[in-house]
Amino acid sequence: MSPRPLHLAAAAALLSLPLAACGGAASSDEAAAASPGFPVTVTSCGTEVTFDAPPERVVLLKGSAVSYLHELGVLDRVVARAGAYPEAYYDRETQDELDAIPLLTDELDSSGHVQISKETVLAQKPDLVLGETDTLGHETLDALGIAQLEEPGLCPEGLADPGFDDIASRMTTYAQVFGVPDLGEKAAAAVTDRVDAITVDIAAASDGKARTAAVLYPTVGGGATYAYGTRSMAQPQLEAAGLKNVFGNVDERLFEVSVEELVGRNPDVLILLHSDGDPAAVKEAVTSLNGADKITAVARDEILVQLFNFTEPPSPLSIDGLESIVERFGQ
C-alpha cells in the first residue's frame, strides 16, 4: 500500500518563527509579543500545556505525530527522534525529512514502547517532547520547564467516542501550537474531504451485510494477545469499512483476550497490528495459537497484517489504513 499524503505545497513558504516557550513555564512578554496568536493553551492527557511561542526544538518519542508535522511543514523543527519509523508509513519527501533527523534509539520492548533514558532526551535541550514513555511523562518534564504532548488516542483514558473527525481536530491543534493556523484549516479540510470520498465508495459497494472483524495486537514470540474496543480508532475504522467489530460492546481502548474468547466471538476478518518487524511472524503469532484454526478468519485466511499507526492513534495514516482495509476486504 502506498500512503497518500495530504502535503500542502504552501508549507514550503513558511517563514521562520520565534523560539518556543517551555511547557507551563512563563516566558518574557517580549517573546509573547513577537508571536501573534500566542500564548496557546492545549490539553494533553488531562494536563494543560501553555506555549508562549511556537516550539523550535522538538524531540519525537513516537512516530504518531510525523504525518501531522509533515502536512503542516514543521517537521524540520524536530531535532531528534526515538522509536520505530517504518518506511511503509511515508512518501519519499517525508522519508527524506526523517532521514535528516538524528535517531537516538530504535530499541523497543515487546509491546512496541521505546526504551530511552531521561538523560538522553534532556541532552537534546527540547522545548517540546511529543509522546510519553514510562520514564518521561508530563509531571517529570513540566518540572523541568519542558512541554510535552501525547496523542489523545494514546492517553490512558483513550477517546470516549473516537472518529475521523478527531484527525481534523488534531491537525488544527498542532497548527495552533506551531503557529500556522491557516495551514491547519486547509489540512483539516483535506482530511474531511478524503474520508468522505472513501465513505462514498464504500456506500456504493456495500451489499448491506456487514462481516464481523477483530483488530488485534499479538505478542510475537509468545505472550498476550490484545484486542481493540470502542475507545480505539479501530472502531470507526471498521465501521467505515463496512465491518462490525466483534468487540464493539467493550468500552475500552485495549485489553487482553484469550484464544477461547476469539473462537467464541468468531470474527470473519482479522486485522493484526504491529510496530515493526516481519508481518509473517505477526500473523503466525495468532494462527499458531492452540484452537485458532476454529476462527473463521483464520480458517479462510481473511487476515490483514498492518503497521500500528495505520490504525492507532487517529492521524492521516489512519485514513491510509482504512484504504488498505477496504482494498483487502471491501468486496
Side-chain angles (χ1 to χ4, degrees):
M1 190 216 56
S2 299
R4 299 171 176 81
L6 306 170
H7 179 63
L8 302 175
L14 283 176
L15 300 176
S16 59
L17 294 168
L19 183 68
C22 298
S27 67
S28 68
D29 292 339
E30 181 180 352
S35 303
F38 285 80
V40 168
T41 299
V42 298
T43 301
S44 180
C45 297
T47 299
E48 286 193 346
V49 184
T50 298
F51 297 85
D52 292 310
E56 291 287 352
R57 292 190 60 83
V58 181
V59 171
L60 292 175
L61 297 184
K62 297 173 183 175
S64 311
V66 168
S67 55
Y68 287 114
L69 303 189
H70 172 71
E71 304 305 338
L72 296 172
V74 297
L75 194 53
D76 59 348
R77 301 192 206 176
V78 179
V79 298
R81 58 192 173 104
Y85 298 81
E87 291 186 2
Y89 285 142
Y90 312 115
D91 66 342
R92 185 68 262 167
E93 184 179 3
T94 308
Q95 189 62 55
D96 287 344
E97 289 181 275
L98 283 173
D99 289 343
I101 301 171
L103 179 64
L104 302 176
T105 179
D106 58 0
E107 182 179 352
L108 306 176
D109 64 18
S110 61
S111 299
H113 298 148
V114 65
Q115 302 296 290
I116 191 170
S117 70
K118 178 175 70 175
E119 292 72 22
T120 299
V121 174
L122 296 182
Q124 308 306 311
K125 299 180 180 179
D127 51 20
L128 173 62
V129 173
L130 293 178
E132 290 190 22
T133 70
D134 293 339
T135 57
L136 283 167
H138 283 288
E139 186 174 343
T140 299
L141 291 175
D142 188 58
L144 298 170
I146 300 171
Q148 183 177 48
L149 297 177
E150 178 62 284
E151 296 302 315
L154 297 181
C155 294
E157 66 275 14
L159 293 167
D161 186 23
F164 286 96
D165 54 343
D166 291 310
I167 303 173
S169 175
R170 192 64 175 170
M171 189 73 78
T172 58
T173 296
Y174 275 124
Q176 291 174 336
V177 168
F178 282 90
V180 289
D182 291 344
L183 288 177
E185 291 179 7
K186 294 177 182 178
V191 165
T192 301
D193 291 345
R194 186 176 165 203
V195 174
D196 286 346
I198 299 171
T199 303
V200 168
D201 290 342
I202 294 169
S206 174
D207 61 2
K209 298 179 180 179
R211 284 184 289 172
T212 60
V215 180
L216 309 177
Y217 194 107
T219 301
V220 175
T225 299
Y226 299 91
Y228 290 85
T230 60
R231 287 181 176 264
S232 72
M233 192 60 190
Q235 179 72 19
Q237 198 175 51
L238 291 178
E239 290 176 350
L243 299 166
K244 182 180 179 180
N245 187 1
V246 296
F247 294 105
N249 64 335
V250 180
D251 187 30
E252 294 184 51
R253 174 180 169 261
L254 183 68
F255 48 94
E256 187 174 343
V257 293
S258 65
V259 66
E260 290 80 14
E261 185 164 14
L262 286 172
V263 170
R265 299 201 180 221
N266 195 27
D268 299 315
V269 164
L270 284 177
I271 298 165
L272 310 181
L273 305 182
H274 67 120
S275 297
D276 204 357
D278 182 10
V282 177
K283 182 176 180 179
E284 185 179 4
V286 172
T287 59
S288 64
L289 293 172
N290 187 28
D293 58 321
K294 297 182 177 66
I295 302 171
T296 298
V298 174
R300 297 179 179 176
D301 196 29
E302 294 286 347
I303 299 173
L304 172 66
V305 181
Q306 186 148 272
L307 286 165
F308 176 72
N309 287 152
F310 283 133
T311 294
E312 283 268 86
S315 82
L317 292 178
S318 303
I319 309 175
D320 294 324
L322 170 60
E323 289 179 330
S324 290
I325 294 170
V326 172
E327 182 180 349
R328 175 67 174 82
F329 304 115
Q331 298 301 319

